[in-house]
Amino acid sequence: MREHWGSTAGFIVATIGAAVGLGNIWRFAYVTGENGGAAFLLVYLACVALIGLPLMIAELALGRRASADAVTAFQPGAGPLWRHAGWAGVVAAGLILSYYAVIAGWALRYVFGAATGGLWQADAAGYAAYFEGFIGHGMEPVLWQAAMLAAAALVVSGGIKDGIERLNRWLMPLLAVIVVLLAAFAVTLPGGMRGVAFILSPDWSALSRPAVYLNALGQAFFSLGVGMAVFITYAGYLDRRTSIPRAALAVAAGDTAFAIVAGLAIFPAVFAFGGDPAAGPKLAFITLPQVFAQMTGGIVIGLVFFLLLAAAALTSMMSLLEVPVSVLVHRWQLSRARAVTIVSLAVFLAGLPSALSYGLLRHWSIGGLPLLDLVDQTTSNILLPLAGLVCAVFVGWRLKPVVALTNADLGMTGVGWIWLWLLRIVVPATIVVILLRSSAWR
Ligand code: PFF
């Protein structure tokens, strides 16, 4: 018998768990920092509402309609062109997971560094050396990558309701409390309000830079987790009682709120201690530990922060892992345990070049990019929008409007038609723009 979520609330919490991850903390902070703060945030919100949300509704509708996996979802009555279309999302999910696990491993490594004190011994200038020393140290990054993957595999092998849903049910509320407490602490730091102003009071000049729009779109895709078949897959275990637009709204709102509150935890601290908000991807791993080290109580705060980062990454990894797993279980009738083992091993091997890309394989850069950055950029900038495009075109144009609207629980209403036309025109057009301009993303 096909597995199901235990309840609508359980499904929503698990889906928020998929959406909330490294993207909300590590990536949101550095992309916002690099793109001028508050003005970027406005463009980001527009991207979430006009592109991310319609696409999420489409993925959920498609998944629940098929009640199957991300490949089968494109097939019923769809003709040869669509028979393999779903693989784009499955491959994107596997590839993203391959390097996502590596960065999640860094977070886990920092949890231990913060707990044992190793992280805090470095002097102010030593944080970059600490980070580079770790990511370049022989096989060490591989160990942490493997640990995070093993944890995700363990939960996913427990199944939808007893594995994924159960863990998310207690972990996500805990993470929400932690991030709110961290933000409450950060905004009260002397000088912290400058960090609040940085993300909440717009600097309109940022709007004249085209890169801001592209980065906002890319961030919206990544942070919500659309385009990687995760929502198709999770909705494949959903029953008809759950309202899809409401679930999608809850997930998009929850994900956005989490990112903003995480920003309110990070930027005030960065400003209070004179860090550089535009430090890029190393913001969380170099700038922040340096900031924590100067704060009263920073050792505990730092530990809690990296725990939050690692745990948020774990719940997203579970969703990415479930995408190929459900394909193997559903289409090839493998047992869940076997499917999880096969997929996690494959993902682990695929992630080895990324894990070693700043150390043993540092001379193997392609086009000047370390391997991890290469996989990150090709998946985020190309595969992911492509898979999103496939989904938008399928639901928007290939399904009959009445079928699409009914499956999305919108019916032939005004809102329903707005959704459909966003999906038909705005979403594909914007994705094509991203694809054409993908080199300008970073
Ligand atoms: N949305 C997750 C994050 O913000 O970290 C990352 C992610 C999860 C991307 C699941 C894609 C996905 F399918």
Side-chain angles (χ1 to χ4, degrees), residues 18-24 96 100 222-225 228 230 255 316 319-320:
V20 169
L22 297 171
N24 300 62
I96 292 206
Y100 197 92
F222 190 92
S223 181
L224 292 173
M228 273 150 291
V230 162
D255 185 71
S316 296
S319 72
L320 288 163

Side-chain angles (χ1 to χ4, degrees), residues 63-143:
R64 191 182 60 182
R65 167 176 179 265
S67 225
D69 58 89
V71 175
T72 312
F74 287 91
Q75 289 179 349
L81 186 68
W82 295 105
R83 187 148 301 150
H84 303 294
W87 287 105
V90 178
V91 172
L95 281 177
I96 292 206
L97 182 55
S98 78
Y99 79 85
Y100 197 92
V102 173
I103 301 171
W106 298 352
L108 187 62
R109 167 72 175 72
Y110 268 58
V111 170
F112 281 83
T116 58
L119 178 60
W120 310 118
Q121 283 162 21
D123 58 22
Y127 283 92
Y130 182 87
F131 180 60
E132 278 144 26
F134 151 61
I135 60 174
H137 188 252
M139 297 297 279
E140 205 194 329
V142 173
L143 281 181

Side-chain angles (χ1 to χ4, degrees), residues 26 34 40 42 75 86 114 193 214 221 229 249 257 264 293 317 341 343 349 356 411 418 428 440:
W26 163 74
E34 282 180 337
F40 169 83
L42 276 185
Q75 289 179 349
M193 285 323 265
L214 297 165
F221 260 89
L249 260 180
L264 288 176
M317 288 174 64
T341 312
V343 175
L349 294 177
L356 298 173
I418 293 176

Side-chain angles (χ1 to χ4, degrees), residues 104-200:
W106 298 352
L108 187 62
R109 167 72 175 72
Y110 268 58
V111 170
F112 281 83
T116 58
L119 178 60
W120 310 118
Q121 283 162 21
D123 58 22
Y127 283 92
Y130 182 87
F131 180 60
E132 278 144 26
F134 151 61
I135 60 174
H137 188 252
M139 297 297 279
E140 205 194 329
V142 173
L143 281 181
W144 298 99
Q145 168 211 14
M148 284 302 292
L149 263 178
L154 193 71
V155 180
V156 172
S157 61
I160 295 299
K161 180 159 153 255
D162 296 330
I164 297 177
E165 181 173 341
R166 184 184 287 178
L167 185 88
N168 275 295
R169 259 183 180 271
W170 68 264
L171 195 53
M172 289 314 293
L174 184 65
L175 296 189
V177 171
I178 290 180
V179 77
V180 167
L181 288 180
L182 285 177
F185 175 76
V187 297
T188 56
L189 289 168
M193 285 323 265
R194 277 185 297 143
V196 177
F198 178 69
I199 49 170
L200 294 186

Side-chain angles (χ1 to χ4, degrees), residues 16 18-25 27-28 44 48 217-226 228 231 255-256 259 316:
I16 294 181
V20 169
L22 297 171
N24 300 62
I25 307 168
R27 201 174 192 282
F28 178 80
Y44 176 76
V48 168
L217 250 171
Q219 176 59 19
F221 260 89
F222 190 92
S223 181
L224 292 173
V226 286
M228 273 150 291
F231 297 106
D255 185 71
T256 307
S316 296

